Amino acid sequence: MKRGGTDDQKRRAAESAAEAVESGTTVGLGTGSTAGFAIDHLGDRIDEGLDITGIPTSYQSRQRAHKAGIPLATLEDDRPDIAIDGADQFAGTTLIKGGGAAHAREKIVDSAADRLLIVADPTKEAEILDHPVPVEVLPDARPTVASRIEGLDGEPQLRAAERKDGPVVTDNGNLVLDCEFGAIESPETLAARLSAIPGVVEHGLFVGLADEIHVGTADGVVVRTE
Ligand code: 5RP
């Protein structure tokens, strides 16, 4: 499911976004390899005196932040001033996320932030979104949600675990259907239709949430705002 740029491209994007974080703020910490580089860079900046608190979006980002020395909080304690997160594909500032099955908590934290900065490599950019859309479902609802998605001309596929027999189970104890829709001409419409299906916990379309996309290239960073 994941597309791959180089680590250098990812690191450049991540460090560019992490440099935008100011002392005294609370930061939503995204999931994935590119967001992980941002967490590491925030840890380096803490060593130099930056004062922040992080709100992680997954078990993975919590562990990485802990290792980087970022003090952590939850949404019970605070709201993020800024969030930094990755994406599996973007067109303009509309995203498909969930390659790491963390999109439910990512959407909660990212949408609670005043500003959302996305960090990505150039392989993630598209004219029109066409990556399969991850849909997190309650386990009991998998068959009914799958039928409803077929009714939307989607092809749902249960995400299989790689080093475990059987399906991926999310941090929330749910399953993921990766849903192929071909070219998504209206992400807003599809997002609303997916959200309306009983048993859908969250889908990976992020519409109207991202403020900036930091794209790491071979020799710099391009920041897209629309
Ligand atoms: C996890 C995500 C990730 O942010 C997305 O998969 C991008 O990851 P990477 O930077 O490793 O390509 O949405 O659910």
Side-chain angles (χ1 to χ4, degrees):
M1 296 304 300
K2 295 246 185 187
R3 297 173 190 218
T6 67
D7 277 356
D8 279 348
Q9 291 168 336
K10 294 179 186 193
R11 195 177 287 108
R12 274 189 202 102
E15 292 184 358
S16 165
E19 282 296 320
V21 172
E22 294 177 2
S23 227
T25 60
T26 298
V27 187
L29 304 172
T31 299
S33 57
T34 322
F37 285 128
I39 292 172
D40 294 347
H41 193 64
L42 289 171
D44 292 343
R45 289 193 61 203
I46 285 175
D47 293 342
E48 294 160 7
L50 183 76
D51 172 25
I52 57 165
T53 303
I55 298 186
T57 55
S58 63
Y59 183 89
Q60 183 209 50
S61 68
R62 187 166 67 240
Q63 294 298 106
R64 191 135 177 181
H66 185 68
K67 198 167 164 211
I70 303 176
L72 295 176
T74 70
L75 291 171
E76 299 267 14
D77 311 304
D78 215 344
R79 293 279 184 279
D81 300 284
I82 189 169
I84 300 176
D85 207 343
D88 297 300
Q89 193 178 47
F90 64 93
T93 54
T94 303
L95 323 170
I96 294 179
K97 289 184 50 54
H103 53 285
R105 189 168 166 81
E106 288 175 323
K107 196 178 280 187
I108 293 165
V109 174
D110 293 353
S111 63
D114 293 342
R115 284 174 76 204
L116 171 59
L117 310 190
I118 295 299
V119 290
D121 64 70
T123 66
K124 308 286 183 67
E125 185 156 20
E127 289 271 317
I128 294 182
L129 296 175
D130 62 0
H131 192 270
V133 179
V135 178
E136 180 168 343
V137 295
L138 293 171
D140 284 352
R142 184 194 50 77
T144 51
V145 171
S147 302
R148 293 281 296 265
I149 286 170
E150 283 163 1
L152 297 175
D153 291 332
E155 290 173 23
Q157 189 173 4
L158 182 64
R159 190 179 298 181
E162 276 181 16
R163 296 191 61 203
K164 161 189 171 285
D165 293 333
V168 164
V169 177
T170 70
D171 288 2
N172 313 308
N174 298 315
L175 304 176
V176 176
L177 294 172
D178 288 305
C179 304
E180 178 72 56
F181 289 100
I184 302 171
E185 302 289 345
S186 176
E188 298 84 352
T189 306
L190 181 58
R193 288 180 178 157
L194 291 173
S195 293
I197 300 174
V200 167
V201 175
E202 195 49 85
H203 57 77
L205 281 166
F206 282 44
V207 182
L209 290 178
D211 295 292
E212 296 176 8
I213 319 262
H214 292 236
V215 187
T217 66
D219 54 5
V221 177
V222 177
V223 180
R224 305 230 190 280
T225 53
E226 58 187 31

